[in-house]
Amino acid sequence: MQLTGAEIICECLIEQGVDTVFGYPGGAALNTYDALYKYSDKINHILTAHEQGAAHAADGYARATGKVGVCITTSGPGATNTVTGIATANIDSIPMVIITGNVNVDLLGRDSFQEVNIVDIVKPITKGSYLVKKIEDLAPAIRTAFTLAMDGRKGPVLIDVPKDITAQMTEFRAQPPLERHSVKVKDEQRVAKAVELINNAKFPMIYAGGGVISANASDKLIEFAEKIDAPVCCSLMGLGCIPASHRLNMGNLGMHGGYETGMATDKCDLIIACGARFSDRVAGDPNKFGAQADIIHIDIDENEIDKNVKTSNHIIGDMADVLDVLNERVSRQNHSDWLFQLELWKNEKKVEKDNHAGYVAPQDILNALNELKKDDDIIATDVGQHQMWVAQYANIEQPRKLLTSGGMGTMGFGMGAAIGAQCSSPNKRVFLVTGDGSFHMNLNELVTLKSYNLPVVVLVMNNRVLGMVRQWQKLFYENRFSQTDPNRATNFVKLANAFGIDGMRIERTEDIKNVLYQAINLNAPVVIDCRISPDTNVLPMIPPGKTVNEIVTEM
């Protein structure tokens, strides 16, 4: 059948199983949006307040579902406004397809109105970026983009479509989605070596990252951990791959992880890294990280091997396939003495909760949230102290229930991610835990919550400072609080009301549970101003470039 380029975009989205997209219209995308109007019974379009919000929403949708998130924008600033969202998805290996408009083909390269070379701008932060100059290439480009986004190590792909391409017509034939390639385990010698190391280890630990969740391999990881009776320490991106309540879950690892996870790294004789990349927030000193242990690195991306930390052995392959092989071949083990030692370390250096008169403690808020939320509810965060408190105290019992910007550390990510997650799971509750600094960056998306009546509960950990940066200034800059005490006078309750949203406030510990209960039962968007002290710190903390032996447990 003969279709316009804009109609081909919609047909290809439907081919790929897409039912929800996020975006913002504009001149170069008018034809595409006219087609979306005609296809509105099959494709639900969520209009955000800003293109960055649309990119983060597509990202949150992908994290919550495991499917490809889709973002559609116009040219020029519409395209460049997505760059932070694309970079955020790229470093965390989140599958996205971004479709941007551009000026007509004959106007390219002439500094036309709202023209930008977005294809070259995003090349370093995408798996692929394509400019479509012929309408016959449009459908193949979209199909390739979806396959590439999900193949191997997942990530974002951008397609730039000039306006005249969306208006031209060509023959279109529907096709099933292209087959996605799995990276099969090939190196039998490395597998055999890994099995030998695992079977001989006396003090093993598993370092689990976001690759476990990306591969939908959480159940296989739990089976593996139980079979070799090894503690599981998670990166920020790996939280949820093993239930918080599981006896082998040691929690978060790295700069703000527990003393026991740091000691596990320092005293184990084997580290099995599963879909993790030894970032500087985990391996503060890469030369000392696990230096006494053998390290097995399991990853789908061979470029990660020995990039940050030197390993003894590695296996390249899809995480689910690798764990299947290991589960079949490793011996069942018992490491009760080792696990008992970890419990002793856990209780050796406990961090006392900060109690500041006239404020509530973030730990108390998160503990109350644990009691009220369901295991399949979703928590999105922004970046800063609140993010680390969530990592430390929120009970994440299932994969894809914590949505957070790990590698990029993007303030302003959380609101869009919460929107995407709520659109993907209308029957689940989504909580956004944010800080007042992060919230100020994308609070314009409150209008999106209201417009679509998305029942996101927004918890603003409001200390009226830029808390994490200020904490570093305390530790490393002799309390010189340069630009981290902005003393903003924003009234978050009135702000929420201005958007047509209910606003609440938590100022006393005894009010926490009641306010949370009321907010959850509104079944509508709500903003809660949580008054916490500017002097509440995130502890423990291993200073950058240091090891667990230099852990800070009080300030």
Side-chain angles (χ1 to χ4, degrees), residues 30-55:
L30 275 173
N31 295 327
T32 301
Y33 272 82
D34 190 52
L36 284 168
Y37 182 86
K38 299 173 186 174
Y39 283 81
S40 60
D41 60 329
K42 296 178 181 177
I43 300 173
N44 181 32
H45 182 282
I46 304 297
L47 174 67
T48 55
H50 190 281
E51 292 90 353
Q52 183 178 340

mmCIF file of all heavy atoms in Angstrom, residues 30-55:
data_model
loop_
_atom_site.group_PDB
_atom_site.id
_atom_site.type_symbol
_atom_site.label_atom_id
_atom_site.label_comp_id
_atom_site.label_asym_id
_atom_site.label_seq_id
_atom_site.Cartn_x
_atom_site.Cartn_y
_atom_site.Cartn_z
ATOM 1 N N LEU A 30 5.492 18.162 11.987
ATOM 2 C CA LEU A 30 4.045 18.319 11.829
ATOM 3 C C LEU A 30 3.401 17.153 11.096
ATOM 4 O O LEU A 30 2.313 16.689 11.466
ATOM 5 C CB LEU A 30 3.742 19.632 11.091
ATOM 6 C CG LEU A 30 3.668 20.885 11.970
ATOM 7 C CD1 LEU A 30 3.546 22.132 11.115
ATOM 8 C CD2 LEU A 30 2.493 20.785 12.937
ATOM 9 N N ASN A 31 4.038 16.674 10.056
ATOM 10 C CA ASN A 31 3.453 15.552 9.309
ATOM 11 C C ASN A 31 3.375 14.298 10.182
ATOM 12 O O ASN A 31 2.390 13.556 10.138
ATOM 13 C CB ASN A 31 4.274 15.260 8.051
ATOM 14 C CG ASN A 31 4.238 16.410 7.064
ATOM 15 O OD1 ASN A 31 3.237 17.118 6.958
ATOM 16 N ND2 ASN A 31 5.341 16.618 6.350
ATOM 17 N N THR A 32 4.420 14.087 10.959
ATOM 18 C CA THR A 32 4.431 12.920 11.859
ATOM 19 C C THR A 32 3.312 13.033 12.875
ATOM 20 O O THR A 32 2.604 12.054 13.160
ATOM 21 C CB THR A 32 5.792 12.812 12.564
ATOM 22 O OG1 THR A 32 6.812 12.695 11.565
ATOM 23 C CG2 THR A 32 5.827 11.613 13.487
ATOM 24 N N TYR A 33 3.112 14.238 13.410
ATOM 25 C CA TYR A 33 2.058 14.408 14.412
ATOM 26 C C TYR A 33 0.668 14.346 13.790
ATOM 27 O O TYR A 33 -0.296 13.914 14.439
ATOM 28 C CB TYR A 33 2.282 15.705 15.197
ATOM 29 C CG TYR A 33 3.181 15.447 16.392
ATOM 30 C CD1 TYR A 33 4.558 15.409 16.247
ATOM 31 C CD2 TYR A 33 2.638 15.158 17.635
ATOM 32 C CE1 TYR A 33 5.387 15.109 17.325
ATOM 33 C CE2 TYR A 33 3.446 14.855 18.720
ATOM 34 C CZ TYR A 33 4.816 14.831 18.559
ATOM 35 O OH TYR A 33 5.616 14.512 19.630
ATOM 36 N N ASP A 34 0.548 14.730 12.532
ATOM 37 C CA ASP A 34 -0.734 14.566 11.849
ATOM 38 C C ASP A 34 -1.065 13.088 11.698
ATOM 39 O O ASP A 34 -2.217 12.662 11.890
ATOM 40 C CB ASP A 34 -0.673 15.246 10.481
ATOM 41 C CG ASP A 34 -2.038 15.321 9.814
ATOM 42 O OD1 ASP A 34 -2.988 15.813 10.468
ATOM 43 O OD2 ASP A 34 -2.164 14.875 8.658
ATOM 44 N N ALA A 35 -0.029 12.280 11.403
ATOM 45 C CA ALA A 35 -0.248 10.830 11.306
ATOM 46 C C ALA A 35 -0.572 10.239 12.678
ATOM 47 O O ALA A 35 -1.438 9.359 12.786
ATOM 48 C CB ALA A 35 0.987 10.156 10.715
ATOM 49 N N LEU A 36 0.102 10.721 13.729
ATOM 50 C CA LEU A 36 -0.195 10.233 15.085
ATOM 51 C C LEU A 36 -1.650 10.509 15.460
ATOM 52 O O LEU A 36 -2.271 9.733 16.193
ATOM 53 C CB LEU A 36 0.751 10.870 16.095
ATOM 54 C CG LEU A 36 2.184 10.326 16.130
ATOM 55 C CD1 LEU A 36 3.089 11.239 16.949
ATOM 56 C CD2 LEU A 36 2.213 8.908 16.696
ATOM 57 N N TYR A 37 -2.187 11.622 14.972
ATOM 58 C CA TYR A 37 -3.602 11.939 15.200
ATOM 59 C C TYR A 37 -4.486 10.852 14.595
ATOM 60 O O TYR A 37 -5.448 10.380 15.214
ATOM 61 C CB TYR A 37 -3.911 13.308 14.586
ATOM 62 C CG TYR A 37 -5.323 13.789 14.792
ATOM 63 C CD1 TYR A 37 -5.684 14.481 15.939
ATOM 64 C CD2 TYR A 37 -6.305 13.560 13.819
ATOM 65 C CE1 TYR A 37 -6.982 14.941 16.120
ATOM 66 C CE2 TYR A 37 -7.602 14.006 13.982
ATOM 67 C CZ TYR A 37 -7.935 14.698 15.147
ATOM 68 O OH TYR A 37 -9.225 15.139 15.331
ATOM 69 N N LYS A 38 -4.141 10.431 13.371
ATOM 70 C CA LYS A 38 -4.933 9.394 12.698
ATOM 71 C C LYS A 38 -4.777 8.032 13.365
ATOM 72 O O LYS A 38 -5.678 7.201 13.320
ATOM 73 C CB LYS A 38 -4.500 9.281 11.227
ATOM 74 C CG LYS A 38 -4.692 10.557 10.424
ATOM 75 C CD LYS A 38 -4.077 10.413 9.028
ATOM 76 C CE LYS A 38 -4.123 11.722 8.259
ATOM 77 N NZ LYS A 38 -3.406 11.632 6.961
ATOM 78 N N TYR A 39 -3.603 7.796 13.982
ATOM 79 C CA TYR A 39 -3.312 6.500 14.610
ATOM 80 C C TYR A 39 -3.531 6.528 16.127
ATOM 81 O O TYR A 39 -3.059 5.647 16.826
ATOM 82 C CB TYR A 39 -1.863 6.096 14.327
ATOM 83 C CG TYR A 39 -1.615 5.565 12.935
ATOM 84 C CD1 TYR A 39 -1.456 6.422 11.856
ATOM 85 C CD2 TYR A 39 -1.534 4.192 12.688
ATOM 86 C CE1 TYR A 39 -1.206 5.936 10.577
ATOM 87 C CE2 TYR A 39 -1.280 3.698 11.414
ATOM 88 C CZ TYR A 39 -1.125 4.576 10.366
ATOM 89 O OH TYR A 39 -0.880 4.087 9.098
ATOM 90 N N SER A 40 -4.249 7.519 16.618
ATOM 91 C CA SER A 40 -4.379 7.696 18.078
ATOM 92 C C SER A 40 -5.120 6.551 18.757
ATOM 93 O O SER A 40 -5.030 6.390 19.982
ATOM 94 C CB SER A 40 -5.077 9.025 18.395
ATOM 95 O OG SER A 40 -6.372 9.058 17.819
ATOM 96 N N ASP A 41 -5.840 5.742 17.982
ATOM 97 C CA ASP A 41 -6.511 4.587 18.590
ATOM 98 C C ASP A 41 -5.536 3.440 18.830
ATOM 99 O O ASP A 41 -5.847 2.494 19.570
ATOM 100 C CB ASP A 41 -7.665 4.109 17.708
ATOM 101 C CG ASP A 41 -7.209 3.689 16.307
ATOM 102 O OD1 ASP A 41 -6.221 4.261 15.804
ATOM 103 O OD2 ASP A 41 -7.830 2.781 15.726
ATOM 104 N N LYS A 42 -4.344 3.513 18.224
ATOM 105 C CA LYS A 42 -3.362 2.436 18.366
ATOM 106 C C LYS A 42 -2.090 2.886 19.091
ATOM 107 O O LYS A 42 -1.384 2.066 19.680
ATOM 108 C CB LYS A 42 -2.985 1.885 16.988
ATOM 109 C CG LYS A 42 -4.152 1.224 16.258
ATOM 110 C CD LYS A 42 -3.720 0.737 14.888
ATOM 111 C CE LYS A 42 -4.902 0.096 14.145
ATOM 112 N NZ LYS A 42 -4.518 -0.326 12.776
ATOM 113 N N ILE A 43 -1.777 4.173 18.997
ATOM 114 C CA ILE A 43 -0.562 4.697 19.622
ATOM 115 C C ILE A 43 -0.941 5.820 20.575
ATOM 116 O O ILE A 43 -1.504 6.842 20.149
ATOM 117 C CB ILE A 43 0.443 5.210 18.569
ATOM 118 C CG1 ILE A 43 0.856 4.090 17.611
ATOM 119 C CG2 ILE A 43 1.684 5.790 19.256
ATOM 120 C CD1 ILE A 43 1.708 4.571 16.442
ATOM 121 N N ASN A 44 -0.656 5.642 21.833
ATOM 122 C CA ASN A 44 -0.952 6.642 22.855
ATOM 123 C C ASN A 44 0.235 7.599 22.960
ATOM 124 O O ASN A 44 1.345 7.180 23.289
ATOM 125 C CB ASN A 44 -1.198 5.948 24.202
ATOM 126 C CG ASN A 44 -1.525 6.931 25.297
ATOM 127 O OD1 ASN A 44 -2.128 7.970 25.053
ATOM 128 N ND2 ASN A 44 -1.128 6.608 26.523
ATOM 129 N N HIS A 45 0.011 8.866 22.669
ATOM 130 C CA HIS A 45 1.084 9.851 22.751
ATOM 131 C C HIS A 45 0.947 10.663 24.038
ATOM 132 O O HIS A 45 -0.108 11.198 24.341
ATOM 133 C CB HIS A 45 1.045 10.801 21.546
ATOM 134 C CG HIS A 45 2.151 11.813 21.545
ATOM 135 N ND1 HIS A 45 2.126 12.937 22.344
ATOM 136 C CD2 HIS A 45 3.311 11.863 20.854
ATOM 137 C CE1 HIS A 45 3.238 13.638 22.151
ATOM 138 N NE2 HIS A 45 3.971 13.005 21.244
ATOM 139 N N ILE A 46 2.040 10.731 24.795
ATOM 140 C CA ILE A 46 2.070 11.522 26.028
ATOM 141 C C ILE A 46 2.852 12.797 25.752
ATOM 142 O O ILE A 46 4.051 12.763 25.444
ATOM 143 C CB ILE A 46 2.725 10.737 27.186
ATOM 144 C CG1 ILE A 46 2.010 9.395 27.414
ATOM 145 C CG2 ILE A 46 2.745 11.577 28.461
ATOM 146 C CD1 ILE A 46 0.566 9.514 27.839
ATOM 147 N N LEU A 47 2.171 13.930 25.857
ATOM 148 C CA LEU A 47 2.793 15.226 25.644
ATOM 149 C C LEU A 47 3.407 15.719 26.949
ATOM 150 O O LEU A 47 2.702 15.917 27.946
ATOM 151 C CB LEU A 47 1.750 16.240 25.149
ATOM 152 C CG LEU A 47 2.228 17.687 25.023
ATOM 153 C CD1 LEU A 47 3.259 17.820 23.911
ATOM 154 C CD2 LEU A 47 1.034 18.615 24.778
ATOM 155 N N THR A 48 4.709 15.901 26.953
ATOM 156 C CA THR A 48 5.392 16.428 28.130
ATOM 157 C C THR A 48 5.531 17.945 28.013
ATOM 158 O O THR A 48 5.184 18.543 26.992
ATOM 159 C CB THR A 48 6.778 15.790 28.296
ATOM 160 O OG1 THR A 48 7.534 15.983 27.094
ATOM 161 C CG2 THR A 48 6.648 14.288 28.572
ATOM 162 N N ALA A 49 6.055 18.575 29.059
ATOM 163 C CA ALA A 49 6.219 20.023 29.055
ATOM 164 C C ALA A 49 7.515 20.443 28.371
ATOM 165 O O ALA A 49 7.677 21.612 28.024
ATOM 166 C CB ALA A 49 6.187 20.561 30.493
ATOM 167 N N HIS A 50 8.429 19.504 28.195
ATOM 168 C CA HIS A 50 9.764 19.807 27.657
ATOM 169 C C HIS A 50 10.307 18.519 27.064
ATOM 170 O O HIS A 50 10.023 17.424 27.552
ATOM 171 C CB HIS A 50 10.657 20.295 28.809
ATOM 172 C CG HIS A 50 11.978 20.857 28.397
ATOM 173 N ND1 HIS A 50 13.048 20.075 28.069
ATOM 174 C CD2 HIS A 50 12.400 22.149 28.288
ATOM 175 C CE1 HIS A 50 14.095 20.855 27.773
ATOM 176 N NE2 HIS A 50 13.724 22.121 27.898
ATOM 177 N N GLU A 51 11.104 18.645 26.017
ATOM 178 C CA GLU A 51 11.626 17.446 25.355
ATOM 179 C C GLU A 51 12.541 16.619 26.262
ATOM 180 O O GLU A 51 12.612 15.399 26.111
ATOM 181 C CB GLU A 51 12.370 17.829 24.076
ATOM 182 C CG GLU A 51 11.475 18.373 22.970
ATOM 183 C CD GLU A 51 11.306 19.882 23.018
ATOM 184 O OE1 GLU A 51 11.784 20.510 23.998
ATOM 185 O OE2 GLU A 51 10.688 20.439 22.088
ATOM 186 N N GLN A 52 13.239 17.269 27.192
ATOM 187 C CA GLN A 52 14.061 16.482 28.114
ATOM 188 C C GLN A 52 13.171 15.559 28.945
ATOM 189 O O GLN A 52 13.508 14.401 29.177
ATOM 190 C CB GLN A 52 14.877 17.380 29.040
ATOM 191 C CG GLN A 52 15.793 16.564 29.967
ATOM 192 C CD GLN A 52 16.649 17.438 30.870
ATOM 193 O OE1 GLN A 52 16.844 18.614 30.593
ATOM 194 N NE2 GLN A 52 17.158 16.870 31.943
ATOM 195 N N GLY A 53 12.018 16.083 29.362
ATOM 196 C CA GLY A 53 11.068 15.249 30.100
ATOM 197 C C GLY A 53 10.580 14.085 29.270
ATOM 198 O O GLY A 53 10.397 12.974 29.777
ATOM 199 N N ALA A 54 10.392 14.295 27.965
ATOM 200 C CA ALA A 54 9.946 13.214 27.079
ATOM 201 C C ALA A 54 11.015 12.136 26.965
ATOM 202 O O ALA A 54 10.714 10.932 26.981
ATOM 203 C CB ALA A 54 9.607 13.772 25.704
ATOM 204 N N ALA A 55 12.286 12.557 26.852
ATOM 205 C CA ALA A 55 13.371 11.575 26.760
ATOM 206 C C ALA A 55 13.481 10.763 28.044
ATOM 207 O O ALA A 55 13.637 9.536 28.013
ATOM 208 C CB ALA A 55 14.690 12.293 26.459
#
